[in-house]
Amino acid sequence: MSLIALKEVTKYFGNNLILDHITLEIPEDRIFGIIGINGSGKTTLLRLLVGFYTPNEGTILFEKGVSTGYLPQESAPCGEETVLELATNISVEITALRRLMKDHEGRGDTDTENYHQAQFRFTELGGYQFEPKAKRVLSGLAFRESDFHRPAREMSGGWVMRARLARLLVQEPDLLLLDEPTNHLDLESLLWFQN
């Protein structure tokens, strides 16, 4: 069974033809690599698969309920989050609930209806399960325990990319799309990716 099927997909940007009648099926439990020269449409294809773009022609069919995770080749700047927070920012709702609870806890204000509702919803979404899982994944990606609470912005681009990859691995999407995952990595991270 195919997770995603593209049928005669064509994509233009303005008058520039980027993808010309692409037909492709991505079955379950397979690893694919897309190889091509710069500017040949690899990133455009991935962005079509995640829904960032829509095709000008053709169709993209997804198996019902399929989830995708996307690691872009350019890492977004980090804010104030720690490495562990970056790896557990699974959804906007989870992140907002975690911040709300931390604010209440920081003020010693945990005996309020607002805090209890946030805690209940966080539990309901499995929020407390993400942290131990993220720690295991981060350790597997060569982070030390002392790195977990460091601000991510203090880390090199390669380590930030690994933390973002950890977030995707914690999510366990059905389809994981990595757009040039070794792009902009430092030497230590490049050597790690090759092993």
Side-chain angles (χ1 to χ4, degrees):
M1 171 162 275
S2 295
L3 293 176
I4 298 178
L6 288 80
K7 303 221 189 262
E8 298 292 318
V9 168
T10 298
K11 181 65 182 171
Y12 288 92
F13 289 112
N15 291 327
N16 296 322
L17 176 63
I18 307 301
L19 298 173
D20 188 12
H21 294 89
I22 302 293
T23 297
L24 170 71
E25 287 191 30
I26 301 175
E28 294 182 74
D29 301 324
R30 299 297 298 263
I31 297 174
F32 285 92
I34 300 170
I35 300 170
I37 61 171
N38 287 345
S40 62
K42 299 181 302 290
T43 296
T44 300
L45 177 60
L46 292 179
R47 289 181 177 175
L48 281 164
L49 293 175
V50 239
F52 291 171
Y53 299 150
T54 55
N56 296 97
E57 298 174 22
T59 57
I60 302 175
L61 305 170
F62 294 86
E63 181 183 331
K64 186 177 180 180
V66 70
S67 61
T68 59
Y70 176 59
L71 184 68
Q73 60 179 290
E74 298 294 333
S75 188
C78 294
E80 295 301 314
E81 66 266 269
T82 66
V83 169
L84 184 58
E85 288 170 338
L86 185 61
T88 56
N89 287 346
I90 304 301
S91 70
V92 173
E93 186 176 11
I94 290 272
T95 303
L97 289 167
R98 182 185 299 112
R99 283 191 188 131
L100 180 84
M101 291 184 330
K102 271 188 156 182
D103 288 346
H104 279 274
E105 290 161 2
R107 295 190 309 263
D109 187 22
T110 59
D111 197 24
T112 65
E113 183 66 26
N114 195 20
Y115 177 80
H116 291 297
Q117 285 178 350
Q119 191 176 43
F120 176 79
R121 181 67 179 146
F122 190 74
T123 302
E124 188 177 57
L125 293 172
Y128 289 109
Q129 297 167 8
F130 293 131
E131 187 170 313
K133 185 175 182 181
K135 286 180 177 180
R136 286 191 306 274
V137 171
L138 287 167
S139 295
L141 293 174
F143 282 93
R144 296 181 306 265
E145 195 170 330
S146 60
D147 294 326
F148 295 169
H149 300 288
R150 282 182 63 189
R153 62 180 158 65
E154 292 179 1
M155 309 291 281
S156 72
W159 286 100
V160 170
M161 190 67 82
R162 283 190 205 187
R164 293 186 192 285
L165 176 59
R167 177 176 55 209
L168 293 176
L169 296 174
V170 169
Q171 289 174 319
E172 295 184 26
D174 299 315
L175 180 63
L176 183 58
L177 303 166
L178 308 176
D179 191 354
E180 298 194 35
T182 59
N183 215 13
H184 307 293
L185 295 186
D186 50 42
L187 180 59
E188 184 179 3
S189 296
L190 280 171
L191 293 172
W192 177 85
F193 257 98
Q194 290 176 357
N195 289 328

